[in-house]
Structures are given as structure tokens and as C-alpha cells.
Amino acid sequence: MWEHNGNLQAAEKGRTDSLGLESVQSIYIAETRTPGVDLRSNNQSSEPLLYRVCISAILLILSLEWIYPITSTGQQGSERFLSVMAGLTGALLLAGLLRTGWITGILIRLFIALAALCCMYGGNDPAGWAVTYPATLSADIGSFLSTWRFHSISVETRGLLMMCGWSMLMASVQSLVLLRRSVMLFSSATLVYLLLLESFAGLDVYASVVRSVLWILLIQAMLQLLRLNGGVTTPIFWQSPYGRWCTVTLTMSVGMVLFSVIPGQLASIPPPERISLEQMGERLARWAGYTQYGSIPAAAAVTGYSTADAPMGAPLVQGDTIFFTAKSPEATYWRGETRSYYNGSTWSDPVQSFATASPSGLVRTDGWEYPAYWQRIRQTVTMKREWRGPNPLFTGGTPLNLSFQDKNSDHQNKLLLLSNEDSATLWLAGTYDDQPVKSYTADVMIPVATPEQLSLLGKTSKMKDPAAIRRTYLQLPTSLPGRVQALAKEIIRGSETRYDAVQAVKNYLADHAEYTLDTRMPPRGTDFVDDFLFVTRQGYCNHFSTAMIVLLRAEGIPARWVKGFGPGEADPDVPGQYIVTQGDAHSWVEVYFPGAGWMPFEATPGFTMTHGEGQDAAALSGQQPVAVTPPQTDGGAAHAGAWLLARARAIAAHPWPAAALVAAALLCAAGAMRMRRLRPALRLRLLLAWPRSSFPDRERLLSAAAPVWAA
């Protein structure tokens, strides 16, 4: 009897334990299927489509804050880039609202990225460009596989990679917002990104930060209604809850942002200085025992040539990679590009007009009007790195004709050459095969005017500056401080000729400013020239040349900014050949003289212009070349490795940084050991959080939970 009752009790206990486990499991599954947590919540289908469209529209505006600051500098092509990226982002967000499989979604987004690429680079004929692009893509793939260098591929393929990455980012962000109902990760990334733009690029992002906060508040408030509908509580908006909630959130968000602006309107607050990561790095360097001139600032870049017109002022480190070799009967500066528009922090040229030129014929027929001031020579340039379009072609003066030194005539016919007569520059637009440009020969006109000729020209010439010259090359930003204009008037006062005025500005800069590569970027909202002339009084070629142009323009003298390379060093083994390195990258000034044309002038102390100022070319020996902008150099990994090795040796020589590194390594090791113990729990968490078409079954849950109990 007792045995029979014991068996019954054991059976009942087993059944009870089983029911208890299943009850716990069902409760756990029910909790994880809460609409506010489950990735496949059924509430999404009950949300009005217009509501999800509104959230995606605000998300579109917030994402454009990533693009707008870098296109607000007025550089050529920035408006097209902004409009194409806006259309791309909008199309991607619309595609995210469709219910499709993941393969179909990828194909749709890839098609959208390709369409945006055609609109970006196709000009007026996107369809025709799309037909020719597969050949370019195939050539880029072959070039990358042979060199394993990212800069060897074309700009178009780089744009395609950028758009594909942007598509992945937008798909991930939209999924987080609409499915997980969380926008804080993307919001934090947006604000950090904007602050980094201000710190490293010197862009004014204050307005973007304020707008981003408004968009973040709006999205977060609109998502809150979905959480309230998920069962936590019920809003008191019985009729039109979504419309009323959107109205309230819009009013409250705008009110909060406007309220934060009131203190600044009531009191006069001086503009704050930019939070500079560069200055933080210098303080850490001093704390670690580095000297001011013995350390490399965190934001320093190796010298070199770049077509990008980034805000000027960043510190530079001398580079020595050979860029090209040139044969020339005279030592000349190598002109690459000119710039006419100054916005207070950088140079650009949004109105440049290029015309198609023949790669083997005349580029222009003018330049002969003033033979007394110009001389014709022939130069041959041989590139030491793969040179493809779009990129400038460097010449020692005003190019008259150009031919590529390639035995394959078919390759020459596939080259697209552009010429700008106003700036006297040549641009290699692109090639239709995978062969880079190796060598070219050009006939150029170099200036040979003497100081006496230019001074006499200023006294006797009755010619005035053409209207087009005055309209383009006298531009100054409206925000230019008045003390800069007052200084220009004081410097040039008493100059009888234009040449005397140029020399007066040049001498003033040499006497009142010091040449150095160890610089800093001006604080936010500060004019680059004003900061150089009245605050730091230190800089390199960008500082001196820009200051000289601004001072001359302030007194009505047309001038423009030129960037390229210095003459380089004479090759001891080959007479008449010059070796030009990345360290020879340079910028200088060209001043317009009626009756003679554009004459080059050197603004940087320690440099001597070979032509145009009547100076001896031999004075160039011993000069210290400087850079224009961060480079696109070969051997980047080698430079990085050498720099890291040098930093490691310097840190090892000081006990405190070495101890800090050891402590950091121990903390990382302890964290890794801790993660090993938490790995089973992490596996269970990922299993429950990963999106699925159906919730995991009982066996799958128990198999995942088994190691958790042991841990």
C-alpha cells in the first residue's frame, strides 16, 4: 500500500515538475514576445504607414547632417554631391519600408546605389555613362588585385564603394529605429561625428549640432508612442492618437531647442574656442615628457600634393617620396591648379570652366602677346606613381601644347584631356583602359620679366584690369576682419607701382612672421589670415601665400593662389633633370599685370622664385620644401610602421607611459578572461535577440541554457 502510494506521489511530482518547467518556459517566451522587445512584433503591421513614413523622413533629415557640413564650403561639385546623396538616402529609406526578403532587399539597394552613381558621375548622360562604366570597374578590379593599393582605382569606383557602405548604414539604422524602436546609437554616432569634423577638419558644425538634437528629440518622442501602445500604459489620445502625438512632440521638441538658445540671445557671450583634440594630444605629450619640437602632433600629416581643398593650418611632417622626375632647360615651379575663391578657411574655385583638348595637338594659341616677358621652353615629365584621371598635369608655366610619350597610339586616343585657358592649367579627366599616364612632353611659356620691367610697366601702362579679372580675383569674404584691411592699407601705402606693392607685402610677411611646419588650425569661426597675421605669426607656404593674396586684394590688386611643386633637386647623374618629391609640394602667388599677364611671386621666406621676379635660379639650392595638403603617397604602411616604432622607443624611455601601457594590457587580459566565463550567457542572449521568423523551440532553448547553469 505504501509502495503504491509512493509511486503515485513520485509520478505526480514528476508531472508537477514538468508542468512547472513548461510554465516557466511559456512565461519566459511570452515575456520575450512583448511587442516592445520582439524584433518581429505584430504591432508594426498595425502602425499607420504614414506614421512610419514620417519617422523615416525625419531620419532622412538627420542622416543628411552627416553630409551637409562637408559640402557647405562652396567647393566645386558640392551641390551635386549633396543632392545625389539626399536622393540616394531617401530611396534607401523608402525601400526599407517595403516587406521583402533579405536577398531582394540587397538587390534593390544595390540597384539604387548604382543609379545614384550614374547620376553622380554621368553628367547630362547617366545612361550612356552607365554603359561604359563596367569596363572601368573591370579595370579597377584588375589594378587593385595587382597593386593592392586603394588609390589605384578610379574615383568612380571609390564612389560606388562609398554608396554601398552608406546603403548598409541606412538599412541598419532604419531597422534599429522601426523594429527595435531605438535611435540613440545612431544619434550618439551623429553627434560624435559632427564634433570630430569640427576638431579635425575645422568646420563650423554648431548649427548642425543644434538641428541634429532637434531631429533626435522628434524621433525619440515619436517612438515613445509605440512603446506606450505596447502595453506599458495607454495614451489619452483616443481619437487620432498618432496625429495628436506628433503635434505635441513637434511643439515640445521645437520649444526645448528654442529655449536653449534664449540665454545666448539675452547676454553677449564671446564665441567659444574649438575643442581641439590636437591640443589635448600636445598636453598629453608634454605630460609624457616630450619636447615641443621633438614630438609629432596627433593631427600631423606627411607633406604631399592633393587635389582636395581642406581647411588649412594643420601641422605637417616632411615627406621624401619621389613624385615625378622632369627634364627642363630651366628650373621652374610646377603648376598644378589655381584657386580664386577664399572663404576664410580654405581655397576653392567653383566657376572653373574646362574645355576638351587634343592630347597631341595645340592646347591654346594665346600667350604670345607679350614676348618681352615670356620665353618658350620644352619640358618632359615622367611620373613615378600611377597617374590616372581625374588629376592635374604639372607644367612649368603656361602650356601651349602637350603630347603623351606612349608608343601605343590607341592608348593616347583613349585619354581625355581638359584645358582651362583662364587658369593656364591642364587636367587629365580619365582613361578608358587600365593603363596609367607615365610620361608627357609640353611646350610652355615661362615668365622672364625682370623687376625693372615690371616696375616700368606699372608706371607707363595705361591699361586697366579687365572686368572679368576684377570680378573673379578681387573676391574677399564678407567676414574678413577690418584690421586685416587696415593692415593692407598701411603696408601698401606709399607704393608707386603694383610691383612695389607686391614687394612691400612680401617684405612685411618676411619681417613679421616665422616659417614653421609645427602649426595649429585656427579656432572655429576665426579667419585663417587674421589668425596668422595677428595671433600665431607662424606658418608655412599656405599661410604666407594666402595672407599675401588677401592683403593685395584688399587694396584692389588682382591675385590668385597656385599650388603645385617647387623645382625639386637637380639630378647629379642626368644633366637638365630634376627630382621632385612629395616634400617639394608648395603654394605661391600669381599677380595680374595689365600688359604682361599673370606673374608668379614667392611669398614664403627662404624660397626664391626662379622666374617672374628677376631672381637667379641658383638661389634655390638649400631651400626647404613644404606641403600644400595631406598627401596621397606610396609606402604609407612603411611610414606608419617607422612612426609607430619611433613612438614605441620614445615611450619605452619614460617609465610612466610604459607602466600605463602594461596596466592597460593587464586590464585587457582580465577582460578577455571574464568574457570567456560570460560566453555561454552571451550565446543565449544572442540566440534570443537575433531576428527569426519564429521563436526558438523548447529543445533549442534548453540546449542553449544548459551551459549557462554550469557557468
Side-chain angles (χ1 to χ4, degrees), residues 63-79:
S63 63
L64 290 182
E65 297 295 347
W66 287 60
I67 305 171
Y68 177 74
I70 59 178
T71 60
S72 60
T73 56
Q75 297 185 16
Q76 186 177 8
S78 59
E79 294 182 359

Side-chain angles (χ1 to χ4, degrees), residues 482-495 551 554-555:
R483 60 180 179 178
V484 176
Q485 298 178 338
L487 178 62
K489 182 176 294 185
E490 179 182 351
I491 294 174
I492 298 178
R493 180 185 303 166
S495 300
L551 293 173
E555 286 300 294

Side-chain angles (χ1 to χ4, degrees), residues 487 490-491 504-515 532-538 544 605:
L487 178 62
E490 179 182 351
I491 294 174
V505 173
K506 178 180 177 180
N507 293 335
Y508 176 86
L509 294 177
D511 295 338
H512 293 82
E514 177 186 358
Y515 174 82
F532 169 64
L533 292 175
F534 296 98
V535 181
T536 64
R537 294 185 175 88
Q538 291 183 335
F544 287 93

